[in-house]
Amino acid sequence: MVSELKPPDPPEPSALDPKQETARQTELEDHETDQVVRVLQGLRNWRKAERRLSEASRRHMELGQTDIRTLRFVIAAQNRAQTVTPGAIATHLGITSASTTKLLHRLARAGHIRRLPHPSDRRSLIIEVTEETRRVALHTVGADHGRRFEAAARLSPVEREIVARFLDDLANMGDET
């Protein structure tokens, strides 16, 4: 019987940075360093799980990442009773109008969206997600979001503030370069 090789656990911070050039660990007790490593491993594990879930949803719906982002944007707008134009989608995605036209053509051809006349601007269209796509998205992407919401809801208000501040700090790291 052949045993399956598991990737090794990531090395401790001291093994990656023994001179502590990037992260000073001397200010932390050993158990505190272990906690930091657990947090970072938790983030890595969550990113892996998020990628797997996202990929599974995209494969199930036979869509790319931009397609999923578009559908989520349109569904959210529809839930707020707002109309969505191709221009709003282009702005949201940060893509050109030509790319948006191709994207919408592909989504319409696959039966995910409808392009309808704008109620007050004859030169424009509004975009709506079909009921079937809405239903599938609710049971895939929506279910994943619901589980993430429940995990955050289990935290105390103080814990949620701490986690939010930590995640904001991570998200803003790119702004410092």
Side-chain angles (χ1 to χ4, degrees):
M1 179 174 169
V2 177
S3 65
E4 185 176 317
L5 290 176
K6 276 179 57 178
D9 286 337
E12 295 294 319
S14 58
L16 290 175
D17 185 18
K19 295 180 182 177
Q20 298 187 23
E21 296 173 80
T22 60
R24 291 186 312 278
Q25 301 154 42
T26 54
E27 299 168 4
L28 299 175
E29 300 289 329
D30 286 347
H31 74 279
E32 292 175 310
T33 300
D34 291 343
Q35 287 176 319
V36 170
V37 169
R38 279 184 47 224
V39 167
L40 296 176
Q41 286 173 334
L43 282 172
R44 185 174 25 262
N45 293 339
W46 179 76
R47 282 194 317 260
K48 286 179 187 176
E50 183 72 9
R51 280 192 298 268
R52 279 192 314 272
L53 288 170
S54 178
E55 186 61 33
S57 292
R58 288 196 324 258
R59 272 194 317 272
H60 178 74
M61 295 180 75
E62 300 178 358
L63 298 168
Q65 185 63 36
T66 303
D67 301 333
I68 291 286
R69 287 182 60 208
T70 301
L71 296 176
R72 286 175 53 191
F73 176 71
V74 176
I75 289 170
Q78 282 181 250
N79 288 342
R80 293 187 306 271
Q82 296 175 333
T83 59
V84 177
T85 63
I89 292 170
T91 299
H92 175 73
L93 297 174
I95 62 177
T96 65
S97 60
S99 295
T100 304
T101 299
K102 287 181 184 179
L103 167 73
L104 295 177
H105 183 67
R106 185 174 64 249
L107 289 173
R109 196 172 52 239
H112 294 297
I113 64 161
R114 287 185 302 272
R115 294 178 278 196
L116 304 168
H118 193 284
S120 60
D121 182 355
R122 292 187 321 202
R123 297 169 296 150
S124 187
L125 298 171
I126 60 169
I127 309 302
E128 291 184 352
V129 170
T130 63
E131 285 307 313
E132 175 64 14
T133 294
R134 176 188 288 276
R135 185 187 61 72
V136 170
L138 181 64
H139 288 91
T140 57
V141 178
D144 294 341
H145 177 71
R147 287 188 291 274
R148 287 189 299 270
F149 184 91
E150 289 169 4
R154 284 192 297 270
L155 299 172
S156 72
V158 171
E159 291 169 325
R160 285 192 291 271
E161 285 298 321
I162 291 168
V163 170
R165 187 181 72 230
F166 170 69
L167 294 174
D168 286 345
D169 284 351
L170 289 181
N172 292 325
M173 283 181 177
D175 297 343
E176 297 169 4
T177 58

